[in-house]
Amino acid sequence: MSGTLSTQFHAYLRERHPQATGEGGAAGETQIALWDRFGLTAEVFAAEVAGFTGLERVSLRELMAASPAVSEFSDRFLREVLGYPHKNSTGAAVFAMADPTDQAVRRAAELVLGPNTLFQVASHEDIAVVLEQRLGGGEEAEMSPAQELRDDDIESLRDLASGAPVVRAVNDLIEKAVEMRASDIHIEPFSTGLVVRLRVDGLLRPIAAPAGVLPQAVISRIKIVAGLNIAERRLPQDGAARIRVGRAEIDVRVAIMPTQHGESAVLRILPKDRSQLVASRLGLSGRDDAALRRLITLPHGMIVITGPTGSGKTTTLATILSMLNTPERKILTVEDPVEYEIPGINQSQIKPAIGLTFASALRSFVRQDPDVIMVGEIRDSETAHVAVHAALTGHLVLTTLHTETAAAAVPRLLDLGVEGYLLRSTLRAVIAQRLVRQLCEHCKTPKPLDEETCRDDPRFGHLGLVPGDVTWHPTGCERCGQSGHRGRVGVFELLELTSNLRELIADSADGLAIDRLAIQEGMTTMLDDGVVKCRAGVTSASELLRVLVAR
C-alpha cells in the first residue's frame, strides 16, 4: 500500500474512530466499507488496522499453533464478532480480533478472560479458518433445527445479560424513554451495530445506543425482564413486564422479531397514571363531548372507534370505560393486550394458542350478565357477528375498527358479513380519530400566512386557510426538547346514526353517501376539528397537513 493510500486509510479510521480506541462498529461493516473504498485485501486490511491501533498483528500459522480458549465463549458469538480467544506461550489470555476498535467486544472478552486480556489483530479470513478448525462445521451445522443454542451457551448469555453493565444499560434506556415521554423504544440490529430510536409524540427520534455492551446481551436482558425464552432466536416472541422507574411504576409490552442481523425489540411503554383517562384530555369539541356522554348512557347498542394503528383508539376506549365505571355497572373487556388496567373492570387478554379469541370470549361474556362489553378490535367476520348480536340482546358494546373515516365503518362491517338490518338496529355511533402533536405552550409563536406559502403549498386551501390568517408555529425550548411540540391531542369526527342515515344502510351501503349526509346533518369532520384547534393555537397547520391531508 502506498504512503498516500495509507494516509487516506488512517484518515478514514480517525473519522470513524476519532480516539482510535473509541466505540467501534462491527468488523464486517468496517471491512466492507474499506474494501469498497480502497479495494483492500483481507491481509492488507489487517496490517493497516494493526499499524493504526498499535496492536500486534498475528498470522494464521500463529493462531493455529496457539492453545485455544474457545470453550469459554459461544460459537455464535465468536463467529459474529470475528474473534478468536487463545493462550500465548506464557499462558496469558489473548483475544485476536478483526476489528479491535469494537470496545463492546473487547469488554465482553475481558469479562470472560479477565481484565489482563491481551488483544491482537488478525484478518477476518484467518479468524474464519481457525474458528472452522476449532469449532467445526459452518453456522448451519453448529445448531440442530431443534436446538439453536447449547445449554452452556444459553447460560453464558444469561449470565452476561444479568451482569451489571447490561442491566444498567437497559435500565438507563427505559429511564431515558420515560424522561422523554416516549411511547415506544425501538432497538434494531444492523451490520454497523444497534440503532435505538424513541417514538416521541408520534415521531421517531434516534438516540445513542448503549455503549460497551453486546447487542445480543441487550436483547437477552429485555427477554429476561419480559419472561421470554432467550434461547429462541428464530421465531417472534411477545411478552410484558412491570418496571419501577424512579417513583413511578410502568407496564412495558415487548415484541421481539428476528431480522437479518439479529433480533429487534420494540418496547411499548404503558404509564400506569390513571389521571390521563379523563374526557377533557381527549380533545373532543363541546358538541361531540356532549353527544358522546349522551350515547354512552344508552342501555344497549354498539359504538365503534375507528382509525389507523397508533391513532389513540385504545386510550379513547379506556377513557369511556372510566366514565362508565360505577358500582352499578358490570363491565367486561377482552383485549390484545390489556394496555390500561382499570380497577373495578373485569379485563381479559386473548390467547389464540389455547382458543381464547375475541369471538370465544364474547360468547362467554354474554353469560356473565354484563352491562357493558368492550372488544379490543373487530378483526374478522366471527367477532363482528358476535359483537352485533351482543348489542342486539341488551348490552352496550364498545369496539374498534380499522377504517379511514367514520362513515367507512358501515361498509366495512357489511364486508365482514354483518347483515344490513342488524347493523341498522344496533349501530349507534362511529367515532373516527387521529392524533396530532400539540404545540408547546411555552414557545409557540403566532405568524400570519403569506401569499407565497399558500401558493407553494395549495394544501393550505384544503384547510380553509388563506393569506393573512394567523396560525401558530413551533419554535423550540428546553421544556419541549427543542421540538416545539409537547404531547398529542385527538382530532375527531363523531357520526351519530340518525333515522335518515339508517335508511342508507343496506347490504351494499355507500360510505361516501353516508359521509355527505352526515355532514349535511351537522357532523364535524376530522379536518374541520383540526382547523379549529389550529386557529386556537393547539396545533400547527403543518401538523394537520402531515396527518390529515395527502401530498
Side-chain angles (χ1 to χ4, degrees):
M1 177 180 287
S2 67
T4 302
L5 187 58
S6 179
T7 301
Q8 293 174 349
F9 178 27
H10 288 182
Y12 174 83
L13 285 178
R14 288 193 186 95
E15 177 184 341
R16 182 172 174 80
H17 313 288
Q19 286 77 39
T21 57
E23 297 298 334
E29 191 277 335
T30 303
Q31 293 177 29
I32 291 172
L34 290 174
W35 292 335
D36 291 343
R37 191 165 178 177
F38 298 105
L40 301 176
T41 66
E43 293 299 319
V44 174
F45 175 87
E48 289 298 322
V49 170
F52 179 74
T53 59
L55 296 176
E56 179 187 357
R57 168 77 166 91
V58 61
S59 66
L60 176 60
R61 179 177 297 179
E62 292 169 315
L63 289 176
M64 295 296 290
S67 175
V70 295
S71 61
E72 301 294 327
F73 294 84
S74 159
D75 294 2
R76 175 181 284 269
F77 169 77
L78 295 177
R79 286 193 169 102
E80 286 182 352
V81 305
L82 294 176
Y84 179 66
H86 58 279
K87 299 289 181 69
N88 65 12
S89 58
T90 65
V94 185
F95 195 83
M97 302 175 63
D99 182 6
T101 63
D102 194 328
Q103 295 299 306
V105 176
R106 292 182 67 153
R107 291 190 185 100
E110 290 174 339
L111 186 66
V112 177
L113 299 176
N116 297 321
T117 301
L118 303 176
F119 292 92
Q120 297 173 331
V121 179
S123 76
H124 77 283
E125 291 180 348
D126 290 347
I127 291 178
V129 171
V130 72
L131 288 178
E132 181 76 16
Q133 295 290 325
R134 297 294 182 251
L135 301 179
E139 187 165 336
E140 292 183 359
E142 176 189 341
M143 305 172 191
S144 68
Q147 183 180 20
E148 186 175 357
L149 295 172
R150 299 197 315 259
D151 292 340
D152 57 341
D153 294 333
I154 298 170
E155 290 307 315
S156 297
L157 190 57
R158 190 187 303 276
D159 291 343
L160 189 61
S162 301
V166 177
V167 172
R168 189 182 307 113
V170 173
N171 289 346
D172 289 347
L173 190 59
I174 295 174
E175 288 179 8
K176 177 72 171 178
V178 172
E179 177 186 337
M180 294 181 63
R181 302 174 294 103
S183 60
D184 302 87
I185 306 172
H186 294 251
I187 304 172
E188 302 156 321
F190 293 98
S191 60
T192 54
L194 277 185
V195 172
V196 180
R197 297 185 288 174
L198 304 181
R199 189 175 293 280
V200 181
D201 296 335
L203 297 180
L204 287 171
R205 296 186 189 178
I207 65 169
V213 293
L214 288 175
Q216 302 97 314
V218 173
I219 298 298
S220 296
R221 176 62 189 170
I222 292 170
K223 287 183 177 181
I224 290 171
V225 170
L228 302 178
N229 181 7
I230 68 169
E232 180 55 76
R233 296 183 177 182
R234 300 164 298 175
L235 298 174
Q237 297 187 69
D238 295 319
R242 182 164 295 175
I243 301 172
R244 179 168 294 278
V245 178
R247 295 185 178 181
E249 195 174 52
I250 62 170
D251 287 333
V252 177
R253 192 176 77 203
V254 177
I256 305 291
M257 173 64 68
T259 66
Q260 182 180 4
H261 298 288
E263 291 176 294
S264 70
V266 177
L267 284 69
R268 168 66 60 87
I269 299 174
L270 307 171
K272 296 178 69 61
D273 181 12
R274 301 289 173 265
S275 64
Q276 63 182 322
L277 298 180
V278 291
S280 60
R281 297 190 60 168
L282 291 177
L284 287 163
S285 65
R287 177 181 177 275
D288 288 348
D289 182 72
L292 177 62
R293 292 179 184 276
R294 174 171 44 81
L295 286 165
I296 64 177
T297 61
L298 295 174
H300 51 80
M302 186 164 69
I303 299 174
V304 179
I305 316 291
T306 75
T309 301
S311 60
K313 301 187 298 296
T314 301
T315 300
T316 300
L317 275 180
T319 301
I320 294 173
L321 290 177
S322 295
M323 296 164 65
L324 291 170
N325 189 19
T326 62
E328 295 79 24
R329 289 192 182 94
K330 178 163 184 174
I331 303 175
L332 301 178
T333 77
V334 55
E335 307 170 58
D336 181 28
V338 176
E339 293 196 7
Y340 293 96
E341 290 186 20
I342 306 175
I345 295 180
N346 297 279
Q347 297 173 268
S348 304
Q349 180 168 326
I350 68 167
K351 296 182 177 66
I354 61 173
L356 180 58
T357 62
F358 283 122
S360 63
L362 268 174
R363 290 193 183 91
S364 300
F365 278 4
V366 295
R367 295 191 289 271
Q368 294 284 318
D369 189 28
D371 298 295
V372 180
I373 296 173
M374 191 272 269
V375 185
E377 182 183 345
I378 291 181
R379 299 175 178 171
D380 51 53
S381 176
E382 185 181 14
T383 305
H385 276 91
V386 179
V388 166
H389 281 87
L392 194 64
T393 54
H395 305 91
L396 180 63
V397 177
L398 308 172
T399 188
T400 71
L401 199 63
H402 285 272
T403 61
E404 287 292 317
T405 64
V410 174
R412 174 59 180 152
L413 288 169
L414 293 172
D415 286 343
L416 288 172
V418 178
E419 293 83 354
Y421 71 93
L422 289 178
L423 203 55
R424 287 195 297 270
S425 302
T426 56
L427 189 61
R428 297 288 178 262
V430 182
I431 303 171
Q433 68 178 82
R434 299 290 189 278
L435 291 177
V436 294
R437 292 182 294 170
Q438 286 182 277
L439 290 168
C440 175
E441 289 293 332
H442 299 280
C443 65
K444 64 181 181 180
T445 56
K447 181 182 177 182
L449 278 175
D450 54 53
E451 292 187 3
E452 182 181 356
T453 300
C454 294
R455 184 173 60 252
D456 292 343
D457 193 342
R459 293 182 301 162
F460 282 101
H462 294 301
L463 301 180
L465 298 174
V466 296
D469 284 348
V470 176
T471 58
W472 296 78
H473 296 260
T475 301
C477 65
E478 292 182 358
R479 292 183 176 89
C480 61
Q482 304 301 327
S483 70
H485 298 92
R486 185 172 177 85
R488 289 190 290 176
V489 67
V491 289
F492 299 89
E493 61 184 34
L494 192 154
L495 187 154
E496 187 173 356
L497 271 294
T498 63
S499 56
N500 291 333
L501 287 168
R502 292 183 193 282
E503 292 178 2
L504 295 180
I505 300 179
D507 290 338
S508 58
D510 184 352
L512 291 177
I514 294 173
D515 194 49
R516 284 195 295 266
L517 181 56
I519 293 173
Q520 291 175 12
E521 294 191 344
M523 181 185 77
T524 302
T525 66
M526 284 185 287
L527 196 60
D528 293 337
D529 187 37
V531 171
V532 170
K533 290 180 171 67
C534 176
R535 294 183 184 276
V538 176
T539 189
S540 64
S542 59
E543 183 68 5
L544 288 183
L545 294 176
R546 182 183 71 85
V547 175
L548 296 176
V549 181
R551 290 191 176 275

